Amino acid sequence: MAKTSLAHELRLLLGAALCATLVSCSPIERSHGYVPADDQLAEIAVGDDTRDSVVEKIGAPLTRGVEDEDAWYYVSSERRTIGPFAPVTTKRDIVAVRFSDAGTVENIERFNETDGQVVVLTARVTDPSVSELGILRRIFGNVGTPSAGDFLGEGN
């Protein structure tokens, strides 16, 4: 009788350990940043709206142009962590709002990644693409790479 009870307890313990292992490996999804929705972007009038009115309509940008403030970038990303593995960026979207020298909105573009390439998904005007693609390449170049916070154990 003692062997049956011990075998039963071992099976229960093994089952509990297996369940705990499976639960610890379930993915953790995290979202970061902010990208305005298409209906919010539709409220911005190219040629009429200024930096102040853009902030009122869609909020302040995550980052601004590298050398000047002629382009504002709204960035959103999603990351997935499974078990003990490093987080992986699964999605990244960018909206670029470009301003003219007069301070009015000149162009609005939405970017996404496809096979690691920067692709323009929509553009409100036919002007050349945002000239500061260097920042876009830096943003998309970090897809899947750990940040300093990952090594310091900070929650992302």
Side-chain angles (χ1 to χ4, degrees):
M1 191 71 90
K3 285 185 179 181
T4 305
S5 178
L6 181 60
H8 181 68
E9 287 179 19
L10 285 174
R11 277 191 226 123
L12 285 175
L13 189 60
L14 182 61
L18 180 62
C19 286
T21 301
L22 290 175
V23 168
S24 69
C25 290
S26 62
I28 298 170
E29 304 281 342
R30 294 189 176 146
S31 297
H32 304 277
Y34 163 72
V35 170
D38 288 335
D39 59 333
Q40 291 176 302
L41 292 174
E43 293 178 15
I44 299 173
V46 174
D48 292 331
D49 276 305
T50 64
R51 288 175 180 86
D52 291 335
S53 63
V54 168
V55 169
E56 288 176 20
K57 292 179 179 181
I58 63 174
L62 175 68
T63 189
R64 296 174 189 211
V66 177
E67 294 180 10
D68 55 35
E69 291 192 12
D70 286 344
W72 287 4
Y73 299 98
Y74 297 82
V75 181
S76 165
S77 63
E78 295 177 9
R79 297 179 78 178
R80 174 182 292 148
T81 304
I82 300 177
F85 301 105
V88 175
T89 301
T90 57
K91 183 179 179 183
R92 184 161 292 162
D93 293 311
I94 298 173
V95 168
V97 179
R98 183 141 180 90
F99 295 95
S100 68
D101 292 336
T104 59
V105 174
E106 181 178 77
N107 197 358
I108 300 172
E109 294 177 290
R110 181 179 294 274
F111 297 89
N112 198 340
E113 67 179 88
T114 302
D115 301 325
Q117 299 293 322
V118 176
V119 178
V120 176
L121 296 180
T122 60
R124 295 277 292 274
V125 296
T126 57
D127 288 348
S129 184
V130 175
S131 64
E132 296 177 12
L133 284 178
I135 192 167
L136 296 174
R137 286 194 181 98
R138 283 187 223 140
I139 291 170
F140 283 117
N142 290 331
V143 171
T145 58
S147 67
D150 295 334
F151 295 108
L152 298 174
E154 297 175 0
N156 288 329

